[in-house]
Amino acid sequence: MTPAATPDKAIRLGLIGSGWIGRFHAESIVHRVPNAVLAAVADPIEGAAAAVAGPLGGATCYTDATDLINDPQVDGVIIASPASTHTELVIAAAAAGKAVFVEKPMALTIEDANRAIAAAEAAGVPLQVGFNRRFDSDFAAAHEVVAAGGVGTPQLLRSLTRDPGLANPGAVKPWTIFLETLIHDFDTLNWFNSGARPIEVFAFADALVAPEFKDNGLLDTALVSIRYDNGAMASAEANFSAAYGYDIRGEIFGSAGMVSVGDVRDTSLRQFTAQGQLAPTSRQNIDLFHKAYTEELVSFVDAIRTGTVTGARGEDAREALRVALACIESIQSGTAVSLDAHA
């Protein structure tokens, strides 16, 4: 335990990135994470950090993330900046001796994933990656059932992500559906099938929501098949425009039974009208996974105190990235791809 992480001292967190998820993390730290303090916020846009920190009681604000990382008052760094910046920020924070929480994806290449993992190992600091489904109570319960042998030997697994809308298809970067959306599903499937490794991937993808943007590189709908070295087979699917709400589900079928998890409905409320049965649904991930987003930061604070990461580690993020990169290769080649090429 480092001096900064003594039991009687609040953990001082620095946040890099003041976009929507950064703002939500800041609110969680201030209002929902025990024994934690929002010590600093960094964003390269002038005034953006202050816009987040000000309403929450204030924190030191920077336009340069390096200044936040080197701030001696910061015990741990939360990286919620654009994906392309993640690896270098992880490496810089680790080199400064700071514990690191980084939003997914941790890296966009296996080489960069290895660099991030090596930097944290060399510095001896915790590195946690923001795969929030691991902290959702229902998904965690399903994982426990499978880990305890409740479904026998896993044979068929399924995970899906359906976002509630695509407001600006022109702003979606190429391969986002694999690297930033389905990467959640790949981690979930790997986590459900713990101890097994994905060995082969075949992917389909198209622009079905906004076909006019396909020539710009948009893929908004995808279906992925994954084969594991324990014989299990899995599917993952995504779509960027579910008219009925935010829809995240998972299923594990095995030799002794099945467990499923996820419900688009917000509550057990059912309204019956002349048009039929209605139910309220979530429209944002920070609503559907409100508690999970909080719990992953609680876990990170615990990791700073104990040195033990209970959420997704750098190695877990690298494994999910291997699947995502194989999906891209499968789309480009039109064939199944062995993950040996992405070791």
Side-chain angles (χ1 to χ4, degrees):
M1 183 180 292
T2 65
T6 53
D8 59 344
K9 183 178 180 180
I11 298 296
R12 298 176 62 83
L13 299 174
L15 171 69
I16 300 175
S18 62
W20 68 269
I21 192 60
R23 291 193 301 273
F24 186 77
H25 284 329
E27 292 168 3
S28 294
I29 293 165
V30 172
H31 297 302
R32 296 182 288 275
V33 178
N35 300 316
V37 173
L38 181 64
V41 180
D43 193 287
I45 299 174
E46 191 68 40
V52 170
L56 296 172
T60 304
C61 295
Y62 299 102
T63 54
D64 189 335
T66 302
D67 292 334
L68 179 147
I69 288 169
N70 292 325
D71 186 333
Q73 297 302 311
V74 170
D75 303 319
V77 175
I78 297 173
I79 300 170
S81 53
S84 61
T85 68
H86 287 181
T87 299
E88 297 306 327
L89 290 172
V90 169
I91 292 170
K98 305 296 173 69
V100 184
F101 176 97
V102 58
E103 279 295 341
K104 54 76 194 169
M106 179 183 70
L108 297 175
T109 69
I110 298 302
E111 178 185 7
D112 279 351
N114 289 337
R115 291 172 59 226
I117 294 167
E121 289 179 346
V125 298
L127 171 57
Q128 182 174 335
V129 184
F131 288 117
N132 57 71
R133 293 180 203 181
R134 293 180 178 229
F135 291 92
D136 176 80
S137 58
D138 291 341
F139 275 79
H143 175 263
E144 291 175 6
V145 168
V146 177
V151 301
T153 302
Q155 296 171 343
L156 293 170
L157 301 95
R158 184 187 184 208
S159 183
L160 66 83
T161 296
R162 296 174 185 165
D163 290 346
L166 185 55
N168 185 8
V172 180
K173 298 182 293 295
W175 309 119
T176 291
I177 199 164
F178 297 121
L179 294 171
E180 299 191 40
T181 301
L182 276 167
I183 201 162
H184 271 298
D185 300 85
F186 302 150
D187 178 70
T188 299
L189 292 168
N190 291 344
W191 181 53
F192 281 157
N193 198 21
S194 296
R197 295 197 77 196
I199 59 174
E200 188 176 56
V201 166
F202 189 83
F204 294 98
D206 207 340
L208 303 182
V209 177
E212 66 274 21
F213 287 89
K214 184 175 180 178
D215 289 343
N216 296 338
L218 175 68
L219 296 172
D220 54 42
T221 306
L223 179 64
V224 179
S225 296
I226 306 169
R227 188 162 59 91
Y228 285 85
D229 61 3
N230 66 346
M233 293 174 278
S235 66
E237 66 174 75
N239 182 281
F240 285 168
S241 190
Y244 54 85
Y246 209 93
D247 189 1
I248 308 291
R249 286 177 278 150
E251 181 179 287
I252 310 96
F253 171 88
S255 59
M258 186 268 287
V259 62
S260 64
V261 62
D263 191 339
V264 70
R265 297 169 297 183
D266 256 346
T267 72
S268 60
L269 171 70
R270 302 292 177 269
Q271 179 182 359
F272 296 86
T273 73
Q275 286 73 44
Q277 179 179 322
L278 306 176
T281 62
S282 295
R283 300 287 164 157
Q284 296 186 79
N285 54 355
I286 56 175
D287 294 329
L288 185 64
F289 289 117
H290 190 280
K291 186 176 180 182
Y293 274 117
T294 300
E295 290 301 319
E296 65 181 0
L297 296 187
V298 172
S299 172
F300 178 54
V301 168
D302 288 342
I304 296 174
R305 293 190 185 281
T306 66
T308 300
V309 174
T310 57
R313 303 162 301 129
E315 292 82 358
D316 299 314
R318 180 176 58 195
E319 196 72 357
L321 178 63
R322 289 175 69 236
V323 178
L325 293 174
C327 287
I328 295 172
E329 184 177 335
S330 178
I331 294 296
Q332 293 172 328
S333 67
T335 62
V337 171
S338 169
L339 267 71
D340 290 343
H342 300 280

